């Protein structure tokens, strides 16, 4: 499975939805772009958080960022932004959508 890091165009979409960097005091803060690429690496490859490659930063920092993005619903906002940009450019065709009924619960009885 090949993993491709996000490019500059996608980074400009994602960056506003990430938590703001705090003022520089003490130890340098983690690079948000590398950390976000680490999250995408885990989600794409299916490895555990303990096995995140060191090039993306500390595994605890990456996992904390993931939890923060889940809590603030940033993933949904990023996805909506990407979908709307694709739709406006004509790259997303919503006339043909498919729903998988296995995700819809049925009533018993």
């Amino acid at each position: 499975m090949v993993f491709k890091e996000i490019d500059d165009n996608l980074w400009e979409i994602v960056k506003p939805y990430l938590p703001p960097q705090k003022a520089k005091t003490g130890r340098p803060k983690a690079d948000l772009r590398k950390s976000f690429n680490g999250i995408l690496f885990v989600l794409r490859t299916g490895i555990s958080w303990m096995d995140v490659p060191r090039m993306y930063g500390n595994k605890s920092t990456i996992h904390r960022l993931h939890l923060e993005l889940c809590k603030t619903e940033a993933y949904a906002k990023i996805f909506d932004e990407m979908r709307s940009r694709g739709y406006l450019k004509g790259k997303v065709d919503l006339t043909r959508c498919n729903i998988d009924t296995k995700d819809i619960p049925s009533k018993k009885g």
Side-chain angles (χ1 to χ4, degrees):
M1 181 176 304
V2 177
F3 174 72
K4 184 178 175 187
E5 295 183 352
I6 60 174
D7 60 5
D8 293 335
N9 295 330
L10 185 55
W11 177 244
E12 292 303 319
I13 295 171
V14 170
K15 189 169 42 172
Y17 298 103
L18 298 179
Q21 290 282 61
K22 297 177 182 173
K24 291 185 178 185
T25 56
R27 189 171 50 185
K29 302 296 178 191
D31 181 16
L32 281 178
R33 187 169 181 169
K34 282 186 180 180
S35 298
F36 191 74
N37 276 318
I39 292 171
L40 294 179
F41 185 83
V42 170
L43 297 177
R44 173 75 175 148
T45 61
I47 64 169
S48 72
W49 293 105
M50 297 296 290
D51 297 328
V52 176
R54 191 75 178 133
M55 62 188 257
Y56 296 118
N58 185 301
K59 59 186 175 244
S60 299
T61 303
I62 295 169
H63 187 248
R64 265 194 313 268
L65 177 62
H66 170 68
L67 294 176
E68 175 75 19
L69 295 176
C70 289
K71 187 173 78 173
T72 61
E73 298 180 356
Y75 289 127
K77 295 172 188 172
I78 292 167
F79 181 72
D80 287 342
E81 177 75 21
M82 290 170 57
R83 184 179 56 216
S84 67
R85 286 182 186 221
Y87 183 72
L88 293 175
K89 289 182 178 179
K91 293 184 178 181
V92 176
D93 180 16
L94 298 178
T95 60
R96 294 183 182 104
C97 296
N98 188 11
I99 297 175
D100 189 357
T101 57
K102 73 177 180 73
D103 295 327
I104 302 172
S106 62
K107 295 181 181 179
K108 293 182 179 178

